[in-house]
Amino acid sequence: MTENTPLIIPELVALDADAGPGKEDVIEFLAATVAGAGRASSPDGLAADAKKRESTAPTGIPGGIAIPHCRSSHVLAPSLGFARLAQPVDFGAADGRDADLIFMIAAPDGADDFHLQLLAKLARGLMQTDFTDALRQAADAEEIARIVTGQVQPELLDDGGDTEESQAGAAESAEDSKTAASSAPAAGETVIVGVSSCPTGIAHTFMAAEALEQAGKDRGITVAIEGQGSGKIDALDPDLIERATAVIFAHDLPVKGRERFAGKPVIDVGVKAAVNDAGSLVDKALAAADDPSAARVPAGSESSEESEEGSEHWARRLQRSVMTGVSYMIPFVAAGGLLIALGFLLAGYDVANLYEKMSISDYSLWNLPGSEFVHEIKNSAGDVVATETISVSQSGLLLYIGWSLFLLGKAAMTFLVPALAGYISFGLAGRPGIAPGFVMGVVAVEVGAGFIGGLVGGILAGYFAAWLAGLNVPSWLRGLMPVVIIPLGTTLVVGALMYMVLGLPLASLMTALQNGLTSMSEGGSAVLLGIILGLMMCFDLGGPVNKAAYLFGTAGLSAASATNTAPYEIMATVMATGMVPPLAMSAATFLRSRLFTKAEIENGRSAWLLGLSFISEGAIPFAAADPLRVIPATMAGGAVTGAMTMAMHVGSRAPHGGVFVAFAITNFGGFLLAILVGTAVSTALVILLKGLGRNKDGKDAAEAQPAAAAA
């Protein structure tokens, strides 16, 4: 598609349409319209992607408008599908009004900047009453196409054509909105600047910007908003930022370049707040500009792109930061654990006896090791007092390569706790918190506090660094805060606290936990532990509870040994139970396809592979669409699998990989049996529960009452 190809044509327009009673019906109708115009390869695929985006947040906006939108691999060219509904439908707008004007913004996965800018113009236009009034009054599809083209691509209109007055007004308004942010305000005029962003970066990003800028015009001031959407970002003029008396952040994603606004009064909200009531936000910003005690953008937030402060509740912020730490830690665990497992595969499990006793630097590809090694035991003076002969089952090239992989894996695993602590601190304080957070992780390991010490140390470092960043320091000192003052002060204070006060208690707690874990993994308590882990892994499918169980399993791998195999059994239980939900959903869609939507059946065709790979998130589309039936069913199957895995003493030396790391799993037959039984339980239950929810016409109750489901 070239720059001269219109985003909307009459074939993409449906007037006074009866698309169905619910928003999912409307989305499917518009997806079929886009595909029918040759702009999408699969109407079902496009509808599934749009409904997935809709499930994250409603796309209804005040004024009877809805903008379902998505990026999709099924879209062949950037397009705008439009429906003016005969019967308005609830899209979850803040004013409670059902929507009669529906735009489906369909962008390909690789949409370029030019087309994303056109979609941004449309989003801005939807905030203008002249534009929406013209859409409601248009007589035919051709007129709708002209009006919308006049908003987003006015250069494509025929100069000699009969353009409607409303269309010209819309195009003029679009040009005004395009230049509003860049025009220089008069001397002495009040200036407010800000940033807007939404998850997809297409619609709400620019609607929020337009609403805020229009609210500024209504109050006789300049409001300039930088839309951080998909594609190229038109950055605010630094001189304009310098003149600004206050800042508005209306965002669902981290603000890029937050440091540009350091020290200015800030109003920090989600993007929908700006779309729904921009005027009150501008009023709050004006009030904050005159309030010395108003919240300000921290001086230490230079790269706090992962930090969302302001109005966020402290508990939510803490949870998000811990999840950030876990997310950044997982690659270290996965890489280290799989390398160790490969080392065992090539060199045998007794290669662990060589760790810290023999130096691999004594060997090379031209000087390969044998199967016996002599280890010298020395006293404090360095004298050899005894020797120990170490024998291994492998020798030569396989031993050398396996030994090397084992050492690489061990090296990666040493970063487990430091990475956890470092990125928790990063989540709370931004980049200035990384260095002290990593140091607290190392301290936690040295004092024997393990991952519990890493959690506590990372949280303390993050909060202390964030407090330092929030101090109102002189301008000459601001440049030193993020690179010197914050890391140094945080490391000094929190590090001393960890060593001198918290270290021993946390180490004692960690030791008690490990001892309790070892005892619980034996006998009847092992089955109970397996049930608990299974319920946690299947509760939120990649959410905080799932990640907590996974962290519990992976953190123990570093403490496992030939005499302590309990961590391996716990890891196997965590992995097996996490595989059950996607496998069960795939089986259920195959056995009883009539109980599922077309999109769910499509997801079921790939969920089995995600399940075999231990990717629990493969079941999320099913749980999001029907949580009251899917989640209890998957939890029941996970509990059964967990109990069986622990009872049969299945162990896994790999932290990830599912059936594809069979070489690292002991009692692999028991591993498969436990997964099959748990999958069967979940499959049967989800089919039963969904069957009970069908009415006598064979339709799901949620589908029969879409408005209630949407609410």
Side-chain angles (χ1 to χ4, degrees):
M1 179 175 179
T2 67
E3 296 185 3
N4 293 324
T5 302
L7 287 177
I8 187 169
I9 56 179
E11 289 77 10
L12 291 170
V13 176
L15 295 185
D16 304 321
D18 184 5
K23 62 180 181 180
E24 291 197 352
D25 300 306
V26 176
I27 290 173
E28 292 174 0
F29 175 83
L30 281 171
T33 301
V34 173
R39 299 292 186 95
S41 60
S42 168
D44 292 340
L46 174 56
D49 290 336
K51 286 190 283 188
K52 182 178 180 181
R53 163 62 185 88
E54 188 76 24
S55 67
T56 64
T59 56
I61 61 175
I65 305 167
I67 44 158
H69 56 280
C70 68
R71 287 174 174 269
S72 174
S73 59
H74 302 286
V75 176
L76 302 177
S79 303
L80 300 175
F82 174 79
R84 190 172 69 195
L85 301 180
Q87 182 63 43
V89 171
D90 180 14
F91 269 81
D95 62 356
R97 178 177 171 182
D98 292 348
D100 64 323
L101 299 182
I102 317 294
F103 270 103
M104 171 175 277
I105 301 178
D109 281 337
D112 58 26
D113 286 352
F114 172 76
H115 293 108
L116 292 172
Q117 290 168 11
L118 298 185
L119 298 176
K121 288 183 180 180
L122 171 69
R124 285 180 174 270
L126 291 174
M127 304 306 294
Q128 303 166 12
T129 55
D130 289 346
F131 179 62
T132 55
D133 287 346
L135 295 176
R136 288 191 171 94
Q137 296 165 8
D140 51 41
E142 288 75 11
E143 186 176 351
I144 291 287
R146 288 198 304 270
I147 293 172
V148 176
T149 300
Q151 171 68 31
V152 299
Q153 295 170 291
E155 68 279 2
L156 298 186
L157 294 176
D158 183 2
D159 292 339
D162 182 18
T163 57
E164 301 288 341
E165 183 179 348
S166 57
Q167 167 201 328
E172 183 179 354
S173 298
E175 187 63 27
D176 289 343
S177 66
K178 177 180 177 181
T179 58
S182 58
S183 58
E189 183 178 351
T190 300
V191 176
I192 294 175
V193 295
V195 170
S196 63
S197 69
C198 68
T200 58
I202 296 175
H204 287 85
T205 295
F206 302 102
M207 293 168 66
E210 177 66 22
L212 289 168
E213 291 171 3
Q214 187 60 48
K217 289 181 180 179
D218 295 342
R219 287 157 177 76
I221 64 173
T222 295
V223 176
I225 304 297
E226 177 182 302
Q228 294 186 353
S230 298
K232 180 183 177 182
I233 297 175
D234 293 325
L236 289 170
D237 187 338
D239 292 337
L240 198 62
I241 297 175
E242 182 67 25
R243 288 187 54 183
T245 57
V247 177
I248 298 175
F249 290 150
H251 62 121
D252 288 337
L253 296 177
V255 174
K256 300 175 183 177
R258 185 186 285 252
E259 72 281 0
R260 296 172 294 166
F261 309 94
K264 293 188 179 294
V266 62
I267 303 299
D268 197 330
V269 297
V271 69
K272 290 293 288 287
V275 175
N276 295 334
D277 194 2
S280 68
L281 296 183
V282 173
D283 292 338
K284 289 178 181 178
L286 291 172
D290 298 326
D291 183 2
S293 63
R296 296 176 180 269
V297 181
S301 61
E302 276 77 357
S303 296
S304 184
E305 296 178 2
E306 301 290 336
S307 176
E308 296 182 13
E309 302 185 29
S311 61
E312 186 177 28
H313 191 276
W314 69 268
R316 169 63 183 146
R317 182 183 173 204
L318 177 60
Q319 177 199 8
R320 177 177 52 78
S321 299
V322 172
M323 291 296 294
T324 297
V326 173
S327 297
Y328 278 100
M329 179 205 74
I330 286 176
F332 290 95
V333 178
L338 290 172
L339 285 170
I340 290 174
L342 287 171
F344 284 143
L345 175 67
L346 297 177
Y349 291 125
D350 47 10
V351 70
N353 296 330
L354 302 179
Y355 182 63
E356 293 184 338
K357 292 184 178 180
M358 308 302 300
S359 175
I360 197 173
S361 61
D362 294 336
Y363 304 94
S364 68
L365 291 173
W366 299 270
N367 180 29
L368 295 172
S371 60
E372 288 191 352
F373 304 85
V374 177
H375 171 57
E376 296 179 342
I377 302 174
K378 300 179 180 181
N379 59 19
S380 59
D383 301 323
V384 177
V385 296
T387 59
E388 175 187 8
T389 300
I390 302 174
S391 298
V392 294
S393 60
Q394 194 58 268
S395 64
L397 183 61
L398 286 179
L399 175 60
Y400 182 67
I401 295 176
W403 192 358
S404 301
L405 295 177
F406 180 85
L407 292 176
L408 278 173
K410 278 290 186 181
M413 292 292 284
T414 60
F415 287 94
L416 189 156
V417 176
L420 175 67
Y423 285 105
I424 287 175
S425 181
F426 169 68
L428 290 168
R431 195 171 302 174
I434 291 181
F438 264 86
V439 173
M440 295 312 108
V442 174
V443 171
V445 174
E446 288 186 351
V447 300
F451 78 92
I452 292 180
L455 280 169
V456 174
I459 291 171
L460 291 176
Y463 275 122
F464 192 82
W467 176 75
L468 287 178
L471 294 178
N472 191 10
V473 298
S475 57
W476 60 268
L477 189 58
R478 289 176 184 169
L480 293 176
M481 289 293 288
V483 294
V484 178
I485 305 300
I486 296 175
L488 175 62
T490 304
T491 302
L492 176 64
V493 173
V494 182
L497 184 64
M498 286 288 290
Y499 266 125
M500 295 187 291
V501 179
L502 298 176
L504 288 178
L506 290 175
S508 299
L509 178 60
M510 187 67 186
T511 301
L513 178 62
Q514 289 175 339
N515 292 339
L517 184 62
T518 302
S519 62
M520 195 175 183
S521 61
E522 301 173 354
S525 297
V527 174
L528 176 60
L529 177 60
I531 292 173
I532 294 172
L533 290 174
L535 293 173
M536 293 177 68
M537 286 298 295
C538 299
F539 175 67
D540 54 359
L541 305 172
V545 177
N546 173 283
K547 286 294 188 289
Y550 183 71
L551 173 62
F552 185 59
T554 56
L557 288 178
S558 59
S561 66
T563 58
N564 178 23
T565 60
Y568 295 142
E569 295 181 12
I570 292 170
M571 189 68 250
T573 301
V574 167
M575 185 151 61
T577 55
M579 294 166 66
V580 168
L583 290 174
M585 292 304 102
S586 181
T589 57
F590 175 75
L591 294 173
R592 291 289 189 275
S593 59
R594 64 183 179 83
L595 297 175
F596 298 89
T597 66
K598 292 181 180 179
E600 288 174 328
I601 294 172
E602 189 70 26
N603 287 328
R605 292 173 182 170
S606 60
W608 66 270
L609 181 58
L610 298 176
L612 292 177
S613 305
F614 179 40
I615 301 176
S616 304
E617 288 83 351
I620 287 179
F622 302 92
D626 196 359
L628 296 181
R629 297 170 191 156
V630 171
I631 292 177
T634 57
M635 290 177 67
V640 171
T641 296
M644 292 181 63
T645 307
M646 291 298 293
M648 292 185 291
H649 299 287
V650 178
S652 174
R653 288 174 167 82
H656 215 290
V659 298
F660 300 103
V661 291
F663 59 84
I665 297 175
T666 58
N667 190 6
F668 186 66
F671 182 75
L672 288 180
L673 177 62
I675 293 172
L676 288 173
V677 174
T679 299
V681 171
S682 289
T683 302
L685 281 176
V686 78
I687 289 175
L688 174 63
L689 293 174
K690 278 187 169 287
L692 292 175
R694 313 289 285 192
N695 60 33
K696 60 183 180 182
D697 294 325
K699 295 182 179 180
D700 190 271
E703 294 175 359
Q705 296 178 341

